[in-house]
Amino acid sequence: FMKRFAFVAVIYLYALSSWNKRLHFNLDSLYLQSSKREGNWLPEYYFNHLLAESCPNGDRVKWRDQALEHLFKEILSPILESLAQESKISRFILWENIAVYLFWLYEKVLEPQQTIGKQDYQYIVEQAPGELFGTYKRNPLQLYTDEPVFLEELNESIRIRKTCCFTYRLGAKRTYCKTCPLYCKKFSTGKRNKN
C-alpha cells in the first residue's frame, strides 16, 4: 500500500517543482479508487476540493517548507505511522518506498536541467530538517541517497534499495524488484555510476 500511496507525493511534488504550485488537500478529501492493471493493484486518486496555490513573490524557501511540511507531516506521516503500527513493518521500509518514487520523479520524469526541480530535489532528500517529516530529528530520506550502481548483469545503473519492500511475496509471479537488495546481492555490485 505504501508503494502505491507514495504516488500522492509524486503528484504533489510534481506540481510544486514543475508548476511552482502548492496543492491544498487533506486526508479527508483524498479518495483512492481501487483498480487492477496487468495483475497489479494501481489505485486512481481523486481529490475533493483540491486547491492549488501559486508561489507568492518573495520567499519561496519558506513557502516550500510549509508545502513540504503539509505533504510529509500531515498527509504521508499519519498513513506511514498507522501502517507501521498495524502491520509491524519497519518505518525504514515505508520511508524507502516513498524515497524510491521521489528519486524516479526528480531523476527520470522532471527535466534534470530544471533549476527549481534540481533545487527542490536536493533540499528534500539532503537538507530538509526532520521536523518537516513528522516527529523526526533527522530527515528520514537521507538514509537512501546512495548513488546508483552499474550492474553488468542488468546492463543498467540502479539505486539498490537498503530494505526489501516484500513485493516478491505478492501475486502469482512472486518476483523481486530489480532494485531489491535480496535480488541484487547475487550480482557483483560493479562500479559506482558517475553519470
Side-chain angles (χ1 to χ4, degrees), residues 71-89:
L71 172 65
F72 290 111
K73 193 173 189 176
E74 297 172 26
I75 304 296
L76 295 174
S77 190
I79 298 296
L80 186 141
E81 292 300 322
S82 180
L83 284 172
Q85 288 175 6
E86 292 297 318
S87 66
K88 308 294 185 242
I89 292 177

Side-chain angles (χ1 to χ4, degrees), residues 40-178:
N40 294 318
W41 179 65
L42 299 169
E44 295 176 5
Y45 300 94
Y46 298 94
F47 299 91
N48 189 16
H49 304 297
L50 178 66
L51 299 172
E53 167 198 350
S54 294
C55 178
N57 291 336
D59 194 355
R60 187 177 189 278
V61 171
K62 181 179 178 183
W63 176 82
R64 180 181 62 192
D65 271 356
Q66 292 168 345
L68 295 176
E69 184 173 33
H70 173 70
L71 172 65
F72 290 111
K73 193 173 189 176
E74 297 172 26
I75 304 296
L76 295 174
S77 190
I79 298 296
L80 186 141
E81 292 300 322
S82 180
L83 284 172
Q85 288 175 6
E86 292 297 318
S87 66
K88 308 294 185 242
I89 292 177
S90 166
R91 286 167 180 79
F92 292 115
I93 294 170
L94 300 175
W95 275 112
E96 191 167 21
N97 287 341
I98 296 168
V100 164
Y101 287 103
L102 296 186
F103 299 143
W104 171 75
L105 170 65
Y106 284 102
E107 293 174 352
K108 306 284 186 199
V109 176
L110 295 176
E111 293 294 322
Q113 295 82 16
Q114 184 195 41
T115 305
I116 291 175
K118 199 174 197 178
Q119 290 170 352
D120 287 351
Y121 179 48
Q122 184 177 17
Y123 182 73
I124 292 165
V125 299
E126 295 176 12
Q127 301 164 350
E131 60 264 14
L132 294 183
F133 297 86
T135 57
Y136 294 90
K137 292 183 179 176
R138 269 187 68 195
N139 178 336
L141 300 175
Q142 289 176 339
L143 297 170
Y144 313 107
T145 58
D146 289 350
E147 289 295 317
V149 172
F150 182 76
L151 295 179
E152 288 183 27
E153 293 82 353
L154 299 176
N155 195 29
E156 188 176 354
S157 290
I158 61 170
R159 183 178 273 115
I160 300 171
R161 289 180 60 115
K162 294 185 182 303
T163 64
C164 175
C165 68
F166 303 120
T167 294
Y168 75 95
R169 292 184 177 181
L170 300 174
K173 290 184 181 178
R174 298 199 177 255
T175 58
Y176 293 98
C177 301
K178 70 179 177 182

